[in-house]
Amino acid sequence: MKRVWSRAQGPLRGSVRVPGDKSISHRAVLFAALAGGTSRLTGVLDSADVRTTIAAVRALEAQVEELGRDETGLTLDVTGWGSRGPVAPDGPVDCGNSGTTARLLLGLLAGWPREVTLVGDDSLSRRPMRRVMVPLAAMGATFTSDDGRLPVTVRGAAAPKALFYDSPHGSAQVKTAVLLAGLRARGTTSVREAVPSRDHTETMLPAFGVPVLRDPDAGWCGLDGPARLVAHDLSVPADPSSAAFLVGAALIVPGSDLEIREVTLNPTRTGFVRVLQRMGADLAVESVSTLGAEPVGTMRARSTAQMTGTLVTAEEVPSLIDEVPLLAVVACAARGTTRFEGIAELRVKESDRLEAIAEGLGALGVHVRQGPDWLEVDGPAALHEASLDSRGDHRLAMAWAVAALTADGDVEVERWDAVDVSYPAFAEDLSGLFAASARE
Ligand code: S3P
């Protein structure tokens, strides 16, 4: 499905609550499925990716009852496997487009003596799985795969070995996969990361009854196994990665003043806020409360005429890994060059995002350069009409819609429906904020 976006006719104004956090929603469903008893989850993101995780745990015979839906998301009662563990289905488990589903499930299944095959869509079947298969094999699981890619068949270990894993990836998916296998191992399983990745697994497992040992200064976390999860009721805060697109839109559309409520302000997720503030953006964040272990608050973004380019370092990247497409679009409005370093990981996301950003911004008329693991965007740039492709990647689709708001002609986005992966109502929310400004 194609969608055509036009230059903004007025400012974005008002207050909005974006959908539930994708990373926390996946983990809430998976941890509740592992636990004994029934967990009530509220505010769960209703999107294609999270529906994939729900369908996957159902296929493995956890019970998921959908009780309803409100503006924050889905309410689910999940009755987990407890000590019985997941049940291998007759056929493969479909992970759709979701890397988080596939990699976290491989870790979860590595600790149970069952044979399960995971499959995914074309995009997911191109993405690397060896990064989790290597440490999980060291713990005793065995795998067959298509050269390190899906379909992957995992045969979990009856008695997995505890592991200290010095992870070469700043990846929360890798860290979480190892820790989930470690739940079934005797002894301490731990992961050290050179650059810390999002820490939702570490903050959420204790709520499900599993203490997590942490030494943030040494970049290390772990847990003592074997450990059983117990049911826990949990509310999911709003997703900063979804909020980022509305923040970016407000910064570049003149006269905008936008508030986004109930967003998780977990510092491992808000690197984009720090980068935008460094660029001079009129962006304020106020911590209001906590939801579970997550700090939650409000983001207020006002249009900013005078932003300047910046250097985004490799150390910052894990805290803004999903926001690079949006930051690259905002960089077009800033004076000077914005350079992103250490972003090779973007090449193995839902698409080759580094290539796609360079191609898309180039088509819009921006001077942009790329290398194997870096990108440079020159601003300020006048954006022109273009026909762009999401490449089936939700974050690219939304980045192109934001870019269109300052372009002097229409921007067509092919495969717009990719937004269903993380933010199905993005177009409606954005239109509503323009409508709110029109009513004033
Ligand atoms: C995620 C971790 C990140 C991120 C993805 C969600 C998670 O991936 O890009 O959207 O929920 O753990 P990596 O762990 O591969 O960096």
Side-chain angles (χ1 to χ4, degrees):
M1 180 195 119
K2 181 168 79 181
R3 187 169 185 125
V4 182
W5 287 89
S6 306
R7 186 182 183 82
Q9 294 304 307
L12 288 117
R13 294 271 172 112
S15 175
V16 66
R17 202 272 189 197
V18 297
D21 187 79
K22 184 157 80 68
S23 291
I24 297 176
S25 296
H26 281 302
R27 286 164 175 74
V29 172
L30 289 168
F31 295 177
L34 272 168
T38 301
S39 303
R40 175 152 304 175
L41 310 178
T42 51
V44 176
L45 171 62
D46 187 4
S47 80
D49 258 21
V50 178
R51 292 248 174 218
T52 294
T53 290
I54 293 171
V57 301
R58 277 184 174 146
L60 294 160
E61 295 196 7
Q63 282 173 40
V64 183
E65 198 185 341
E66 220 175 293
L67 301 176
R69 218 197 111 121
D70 63 15
E71 65 136 14
T72 67
L74 296 170
T75 300
L76 307 174
D77 269 356
V78 180
T79 306
W81 304 301
S83 52
R84 166 177 86 106
V87 178
D90 289 336
V93 174
D94 189 358
C95 299
N97 189 250
S98 175
T100 309
T101 310
R103 296 190 180 120
L104 269 51
L105 268 183
L106 287 174
L108 186 158
L109 291 165
W112 296 89
R114 333 227 175 299
E115 182 172 303
V116 179
T117 299
L118 305 187
V119 297
D121 71 5
D122 288 348
S123 154
L124 187 58
S125 304
R126 284 193 294 270
R127 297 179 65 186
M129 295 294 146
R130 232 173 228 134
R131 55 182 59 198
V132 291
M133 288 160 52
V134 167
L136 296 174
M139 298 177 82
T142 56
F143 297 92
T144 44
S145 74
D146 179 6
D147 195 21
R149 293 178 163 74
L150 297 185
V152 172
T153 299
V154 49
R155 280 166 296 278
K161 296 190 276 286
L163 179 72
F164 171 77
Y165 190 55
D166 212 346
S167 176
H169 309 278
S171 163
Q173 294 177 356
V174 173
K175 172 174 61 183
T176 305
V178 172
L179 292 177
L180 289 178
L183 290 169
R184 299 271 299 157
R186 189 160 298 282
T188 306
T189 292
S190 53
V191 182
R192 186 166 65 197
E193 299 179 297
V195 183
S197 63
R198 65 192 66 194
D199 66 357
H200 305 301
T201 297
E202 299 92 298
T203 60
M204 290 172 68
L205 276 178
F208 285 87
V210 179
V212 173
L213 320 157
R214 299 183 74 178
D215 183 347
D217 293 335
W220 171 94
C221 68
L223 53 82
D224 286 333
R228 284 195 187 160
L229 278 72
V230 289
H232 172 68
D233 297 343
L234 182 144
S235 290
V236 179
D239 194 328
S241 298
S242 296
F245 292 99
L246 299 180
V247 165
L251 294 178
I252 63 173
V253 175
S256 298
D257 185 349
L258 195 64
E259 182 189 77
I260 307 171
R261 306 184 306 274
E262 287 176 40
V263 186
T264 174
L265 300 177
N266 183 321
T268 63
R269 296 291 301 285
T270 49
F272 76 96
V273 171
R274 296 184 286 277
V275 166
L276 290 170
Q277 287 172 337
R278 196 160 78 221
M279 293 170 77
D282 189 346
L283 172 60
V285 161
E286 192 197 348
S287 187
V288 173
S289 61
T290 53
L291 210 46
E294 296 284 324
V296 171
T298 304
M299 293 184 177
R300 183 168 185 195
R302 283 180 272 208
S303 62
T304 314
Q306 299 285 329
M307 286 187 281
T308 47
T310 190
L311 171 66
V312 178
T313 64
E315 288 68 38
E316 291 178 294
V317 167
S319 70
L320 50 75
I321 183 76
D322 295 333
E323 286 69 67
V324 175
L326 177 274
L327 288 172
V329 167
V330 174
C332 299
R335 184 162 303 280
T337 298
T338 296
R339 180 177 163 89
F340 299 87
E341 292 184 346
I343 53 168
E345 189 61 24
L346 259 59
R347 297 206 181 271
V348 290
K349 289 292 178 190
E350 286 83 330
S351 68
D352 179 345
R353 283 188 185 154
L354 215 172
E355 172 70 27
I357 296 167
E359 183 188 79
L361 291 185
L364 287 158
V366 182
H367 287 132
V368 49
R369 296 166 294 282
Q370 60 163 311
D373 67 347
W374 58 266
L375 180 81
E376 286 179 352
V377 180
D378 291 342
L383 307 191
H384 305 303
E385 71 171 15
S387 182
L388 304 177
D389 186 358
S390 76
R391 299 189 180 207
D393 183 331
H394 53 134
R395 308 230 186 258
L396 291 174
M398 290 184 275
W400 301 147
V402 173
L405 301 177
T406 61
D408 60 15
D410 285 351
V411 175
E412 288 182 356
V413 184
E414 293 285 354
R415 292 194 268 175
W416 171 257
D417 37 321
V419 295
D420 290 350
V421 160
S422 64
Y423 196 169
F426 173 76
E428 290 74 30
D429 281 359
L430 192 59
S431 309
L433 293 163
F434 284 120
S437 76
R439 275 196 299 272
E440 278 180 17

